[in-house]
Amino acid sequence: MIYSIPYLIGSVAAQLATAFPGTPVHDSPTQQKSGYPCFYIFLRPSDIRDQLSARDMRNISLDVVYVQERNTPGANAELYEIADTLDELLDTVPYSDGSDEDPVPLHTHERDYSIEDQELHYRLRISQRVSRPVEHIPMQTEETDVQVKSN
């Protein structure tokens, strides 16, 4: 299975689309108006840390932003409900790389949310151990000249 940022964002977007049918999910800001409400998924600072052997720990942070029409009555109450739903929904993300393999549940960490300028920012981090491709060095033969030393 291939672990990459575009597939991870796509997996989160698919989960949001299933839980919030009819609400568009975008992976980048669009130049044209998409209508309200909608979700945007942004990449936040992420890192890769070396592990043993040919492995790395990839820590990918995302910001799921819920945008709604501004200055409407009860807007904050709706944002709180969305935040509660995202807490349950994004505990694990069924990750798929587009292959025929079944999705793999990835656990999320460091989840939090805030409301800024009447937009809900739900932040999460996914840490996944990945293997780097290793060049295989085949065993070679060694010729030796072994003699028994006599006294």
Side-chain angles (χ1 to χ4, degrees):
M1 183 169 277
I2 298 170
Y3 184 70
S4 72
I5 292 170
Y7 288 134
L8 179 60
I9 290 174
S11 295
V12 171
Q15 192 170 15
L16 290 171
T18 302
F20 300 95
T23 304
V25 181
H26 307 286
D27 61 359
S28 64
T30 56
Q31 297 298 324
Q32 55 204 357
K33 247 186 170 177
S34 66
Y36 299 111
C38 66
F39 285 100
Y40 289 98
I41 303 173
F42 296 104
L43 181 66
R44 297 185 64 232
S46 303
D47 60 60
I48 299 175
R49 298 183 186 189
D50 288 335
Q51 301 279 298
L52 292 175
S53 190
R55 297 186 196 132
D56 291 329
M57 180 63 77
R58 277 190 87 177
N59 299 304
I60 298 176
S61 297
L62 300 175
D63 186 6
V64 177
V65 181
Y66 179 76
V67 181
Q68 62 182 353
E69 195 167 335
R70 297 183 190 280
N71 302 322
T72 57
N76 279 350
E78 181 183 358
L79 293 177
Y80 299 146
E81 288 178 27
I82 297 292
D84 279 342
T85 303
L86 291 178
D87 265 339
E88 291 181 28
L89 182 69
L90 296 177
D91 181 47
T92 58
V93 174
Y95 177 80
S96 173
D97 64 358
S99 66
D100 292 336
E101 295 180 39
D102 290 336
V104 175
L106 299 180
H107 294 278
T108 60
H109 309 280
E110 300 175 24
R111 294 177 293 146
D112 69 349
Y113 73 89
S114 63
I115 296 173
E116 301 167 14
D117 197 24
Q118 295 185 338
E119 295 176 350
L120 172 68
H121 290 263
Y122 193 91
R123 292 169 291 273
L124 58 96
R125 182 179 199 81
I126 296 175
S127 299
Q128 186 65 29
R129 186 169 286 120
V130 296
S131 298
R132 289 180 295 219
V134 178
E135 181 182 335
H136 179 68
I137 301 173
M139 184 182 284
Q140 299 176 358
T141 60
E142 179 181 352
E143 292 184 22
T144 58
D145 185 21
V146 179
Q147 297 176 4
V148 176
K149 190 175 182 180
S150 59
N151 291 343

